[in-house]
Amino acid sequence: MNIGLTGGIASGKSTVAAMLVERGAVLIDADRIAREVVLPGTPALEQVAERFGSGVLLPDGSLNRKALGEIVFGDEAARKELESILHPRIRALMRERMETHERQSPDKLVVVDVPLLFESKLQAMFQETVLVYIPRSLQLARLMARDELTERQAESRLAAQMPIEAKRELADFVIDNSGELEETRRQVDEYCKRKGME
């Protein structure tokens, strides 16, 4: 079985993903795939540099994520253009890896960590969607602390995603990560029991 794991930025998806892996799940990380598709020499990176200028490249030819972020997080049209370059490649690789894992380990839960699952309308790719939830105010505070952002920068990143409450409405299962780690772990255990992963 495969599940799409999602959440808002800084909600703790990676923490929950690690807990699921500890319990025997296989993890496919869409963010990691997103980095792979823009490695130096890839057609996607060439296209990104062509569209957004050489300023989005570091001296070694790799992607300058911060510079690109400054461009796209403040400009919806630019963000959509970037997504049109990257998303088809990311999805194709994601689907390929899901199929490989399902073939090789049919008894394992395949967890695909997809930050923009609902924004990209990818629910149909998964048998179930799981949301890692924290309230927006906590999301903002954690994002500012984690990425050393100003409130304005953090707000623009949150604005680029669907509001967390809207995601909550769409998810098949919600893990609330706003409390202690032990409480999150308890909810993950409960979810795994439901999936027969004892």
Side-chain angles (χ1 to χ4, degrees):
M1 178 184 188
N2 67 62
I3 65 162
L5 179 71
T6 194
I9 191 167
S11 62
K13 281 185 317 302
S14 302
T15 302
V16 170
M19 289 177 181
L20 288 163
V21 168
E22 278 170 21
R23 286 154 184 78
V26 174
L27 178 67
I28 298 169
D29 184 338
D31 274 347
R32 194 166 292 153
I33 291 173
R35 285 188 185 89
E36 278 177 47
V37 300
V38 289
L39 285 172
T42 57
L45 184 60
E46 282 172 33
Q47 230 179 315
V48 168
E50 220 169 85
R51 165 56 187 89
F52 297 101
S54 59
V56 300
L57 296 178
L58 291 166
D60 68 358
S62 63
L63 183 63
N64 183 337
R65 292 178 183 285
K66 201 165 185 137
L68 183 60
E70 286 302 315
I71 296 168
V72 300
F73 282 116
D75 180 341
E76 193 178 348
R79 194 177 80 245
K80 293 240 178 289
E81 230 177 307
L82 178 66
E83 288 171 357
S84 74
I85 295 169
L86 302 182
H87 286 187
R89 291 174 166 98
I90 295 166
R91 280 179 207 148
L93 206 44
M94 221 163 65
R95 188 168 276 120
E96 188 184 301
R97 294 200 180 153
M98 282 166 66
E99 286 166 3
T100 300
H101 284 303
E102 285 170 2
R103 230 182 9 260
Q104 291 172 350
S105 317
D107 55 324
K108 286 190 184 260
L109 182 68
V110 178
V111 176
V112 189
D113 179 342
V114 189
L116 300 177
L117 192 154
F118 296 124
E119 289 88 338
S120 304
K121 297 180 175 42
L122 297 180
Q123 296 96 306
M125 277 181 77
F126 307 104
Q127 289 161 293
E128 192 168 65
T129 57
V130 176
L131 174 75
V132 181
Y133 170 85
I134 59 172
R136 191 182 191 283
S137 56
L138 184 56
Q139 212 183 345
L140 186 67
R142 284 186 185 174
L143 180 58
M144 286 167 65
R146 185 190 78 184
D147 295 357
E148 297 176 2
L149 299 174
T150 63
E151 189 167 346
R152 185 192 64 77
Q153 289 171 318
E155 283 284 3
S156 77
R157 280 160 175 71
L158 285 185
Q161 293 189 348
M162 181 185 288
I164 194 85
E165 297 302 333
K167 291 184 182 197
R168 190 175 195 159
E169 295 294 311
L170 295 169
D172 296 314
F173 191 86
V174 175
I175 292 173
D176 188 325
N177 190 35
S178 56
E180 297 295 318
L181 207 53
E182 278 316 303
E183 175 52 25
T184 302
R185 200 179 299 280
R186 187 195 63 72
Q187 293 172 70
V188 170
D189 285 341
E190 190 182 303
Y191 181 75
C192 289
K193 276 190 192 120
R194 285 184 53 211
K195 298 289 148 214
M197 292 169 63
E198 307 241 16

